[in-house]
Amino acid sequence: MSTTSKSTAGPEPREREMQTPDQVRSVLQSEIAADEATVKARALRQARTRKIQVNVSRVLLGVVIIGGWQLFAQWKIIDPFFFGQPSGIVRQLVDWFQHGTSFGSIWTQIGVTMEEALLGFVYGVGGGVVLGVLLGQVRFLADVIGPYIKIVNAVPRIVLGSIFFVWLGLGTPAKVLLASVLVFFVVFFNAFQGVREVDRVFVNNARVLGASRLQITRHVVLPSALTWITASLHVAFGFAVIGAIVGEFLGAQQGLGLVISDAQNHFNPNGVFAAMVIIAVIALTAESGITFLEKKLLAWRPPSSNEVAGL
């Protein structure tokens, strides 16, 4: 027992004095490597245990909420006519996917809403990044245009949607424009702030080295502001879906918003919740894609303290 503990702890101080400096350095490096491996293994075990605990807690919470909702509806503690019930939502989803909706296949409704949301997302992100980076770098333009952007941002989106329908009619362009406006302001303010937060030392050093404004924007400003921009994308896609759904509520011939509006008009809460389930699945799928994209774009960034703790 004593032999094992001695070999693990390494040579005694007196024995080290008899060793050459290289031997002592080698022994110390071995001990440090062993300690790091032990700490890393412990951190991995803790992270694995925590992940299992979180997943189990999530499942239990979902069971409690959905099970409680179902039981309360069956016991008439809450009125299923107003609140629906999970079993009714499942039956509604099965019916839609087997027989379609009043406006055609459910896949067609999903496709129409996704097309409007994705186009609005792309246009809104593009406009927000370009204008945010431009105004973030040119203070004069920011001072001139800034108040107008704030004024437009203060206008309720439902009002803008009504104006867009007057201009563009009930087709796809009005819904895409509404989704783009919602996405634009989220991305713009993050890109603008991200550019303003760029370390001026890096910018000045690039100028001293002879970099042009375009090179500074490409190699210094954009990489530094990328964290802000990618963070806004998580919220932006949700706004794109909201814009498309609200637009379909105001007027449409197809789409999930129209399906929800139809269910509401027929006092069918199960239909409303079933459409919300479909939208939630779409949003979570898009969120996973954005998270994957964020990791690819920010692969150069050192891990944050939270990420390190999660190893």
Side-chain angles (χ1 to χ4, degrees), residues 6 22 29 35 47 50 65 77 84 88 99 114 151 163 171 182 193 207 213 234-235 250 281 294 299:
K6 183 177 180 180
D22 291 339
Q29 288 176 345
D35 291 341
R50 184 180 181 279
I65 293 175
I77 296 176
H99 306 105
M114 282 298 299
I151 290 172
I163 295 173
L182 265 69
Q193 190 62 33
R207 283 176 180 161
R213 179 179 286 274
H234 293 279
V235 183
L250 293 174
V281 171
E294 181 182 20

Side-chain angles (χ1 to χ4, degrees), residues 124-144:
V125 169
V129 170
V130 171
L131 202 59
V133 171
L134 181 64
L135 267 61
Q137 289 188 283
V138 184
R139 187 174 292 276
F140 177 77
L141 281 180
D143 292 339
V144 173

Side-chain angles (χ1 to χ4, degrees), residues 175-308:
K175 302 168 187 71
V176 172
L177 185 56
L178 181 59
S180 302
V181 170
L182 265 69
V183 171
F184 168 80
F185 287 105
V186 176
V187 177
F188 167 77
F189 285 115
N190 276 274
F192 179 79
Q193 190 62 33
V195 172
R196 287 292 174 90
E197 294 288 335
V198 173
D199 194 333
R200 306 312 300 176
V201 174
F202 293 152
V203 176
N204 293 334
N205 286 342
R207 283 176 180 161
V208 170
L209 293 173
S212 64
R213 179 179 286 274
L214 183 61
Q215 289 173 323
I216 292 174
T217 302
R218 180 181 175 188
H219 298 291
V220 179
V221 175
L222 274 179
S224 299
L226 206 55
T227 305
W228 289 75
I229 296 171
T230 54
S232 69
L233 298 184
H234 293 279
V235 183
F237 188 80
F239 276 96
V241 174
I242 291 172
I245 296 293
V246 170
E248 291 167 354
F249 246 94
L250 293 174
Q253 295 178 333
Q254 287 181 319
L256 290 175
L258 181 63
V259 173
I260 294 174
S261 177
D262 181 67
Q264 176 188 341
N265 293 334
H266 288 85
F267 299 99
N268 178 16
N270 290 329
V272 176
F273 283 116
M276 290 171 61
V277 170
I278 295 174
I279 294 170
V281 171
I282 293 172
L284 288 176
T285 305
E287 169 68 19
S288 301
I290 292 172
T291 301
F292 177 79
L293 177 65
E294 181 182 20
K295 289 180 180 177
K296 290 294 182 184
L297 290 175
L298 300 179
W300 54 270
R301 186 190 62 173
S304 64
S305 58
N306 291 334
E307 291 170 337
V308 172

